Amino acid sequence: MREIQVQRCTNLNGESMQQQIQSRIAVLKSEFETGQTKLQELEMQQSRIRETLLRISGAIQVLEEMLASNTADEEPAPHDSPPAEPSAIGKS
């Protein structure tokens, strides 16, 4: 069996191809870690924003219900019509 020898290429800086690849791997690993950290930060921020929106939504719902309840309590029944029958409420 013949062994094939691989010739090492060098760039203008004198780095071998293997050194260039190792250098590029190091850069990419660093960028990957930075990206993962940023993604985790954004996911945490997204979670906090969702929680805030849920609280705001709940507050809006409570206030709208309070407003509707106050409006219903403040409106007097019409004088010319009898009060609604309990069995007729909710039927339309």
Side-chain angles (χ1 to χ4, degrees), residues 11-24:
N11 68 6
L12 297 177
N13 297 331
E15 289 182 321
S16 70
M17 182 65 80
Q18 186 175 7
Q19 289 171 326
Q20 291 175 24
I21 291 171
Q22 288 174 341
S23 177
R24 184 66 179 143

Side-chain angles (χ1 to χ4, degrees), residues 29-45:
K29 283 183 177 182
S30 175
E31 289 176 1
F32 186 82
E33 286 181 32
T34 301
Q36 280 187 317
T37 301
K38 184 66 175 177
L39 181 60
Q40 288 175 344
E41 291 170 2
L42 290 172
E43 286 173 344
M44 288 174 31
Q45 184 180 9

Side-chain angles (χ1 to χ4, degrees), residues 44-56:
M44 288 174 31
Q45 184 180 9
Q46 180 184 32
S47 178
R48 287 191 302 267
I49 291 171
R50 283 187 194 281
E51 290 172 4
T52 299
L53 290 174
L54 184 60
R55 284 194 302 273
I56 292 169

